[in-house]
Amino acid sequence: MSVLSHVSARTVLAAAAAGLGILSVTAPQVAAADQAVPSISGKADQHTKAIAAANPKGVAAGATVCGTGYNLYKADMLPDSSRLGTLFVYVKGNNPSSNDAPTCAILDNNTVGKKWMKIKLCSNYTAEGCASDAGVYSQYAGPVYRNHGGCGTVTSLMSSTTSSSSTLLINNVTDSTNCD
């Protein structure tokens, strides 16, 4: 189940509850997420923009997972166009390539079934270090956050089974943002 499926399931439950008057305050936010209009950073590259155009609901769902105010900066199909997983990096602010950009990352599981997955986001500031999330997931690993995630690195791992010691299908390290 991907990020989109997970958020859609929550949306259905929230919509049902809103219909009963239980979540009347939350209903407008849920409706906005259903519109699937992802916010894309002006500094996102063409590759990321193409992935967002092909999958706007998935991009919007990932932004929902990260929280309010995050814009898509990077999307990578991993390990290649076979797309067993998708790395999404979201940033806040007008200058996402600065060291000070709050950053969020998730690794979406695009396979059927559970896999051992890990995502690690490291700040460019050594004092802030890294944040990681690892486990057996059917949907996604993360979100992980760094207050100064710009110019840092993101590591994405996915194994062929539910064990961290099995063959890696995804083993990717990349910059979280491009630094000016």
Side-chain angles (χ1 to χ4, degrees), residues 30-61:
V30 171
D34 282 343
Q35 292 174 4
V37 179
S39 181
I40 301 172
S41 170
K43 297 215 177 187
D45 64 17
Q46 291 302 91
H47 175 75
T48 296
K49 290 176 183 177
I51 291 172
N55 190 14
K57 288 183 180 182
V59 170

Side-chain angles (χ1 to χ4, degrees), residues 73-97:
Y73 183 86
K74 178 181 273 190
D76 281 330
M77 295 182 289
L78 301 173
D80 49 35
S81 62
S82 64
R83 197 175 187 173
L84 300 174
T86 306
L87 168 65
F88 292 107
V89 177
Y90 296 86
V91 295
K92 280 188 178 180
N94 295 327
N95 189 10
S97 58

Side-chain angles (χ1 to χ4, degrees), residues 3 26 35 103 107 142:
V3 170
T26 307
Q35 292 174 4
T103 308
L107 176 59

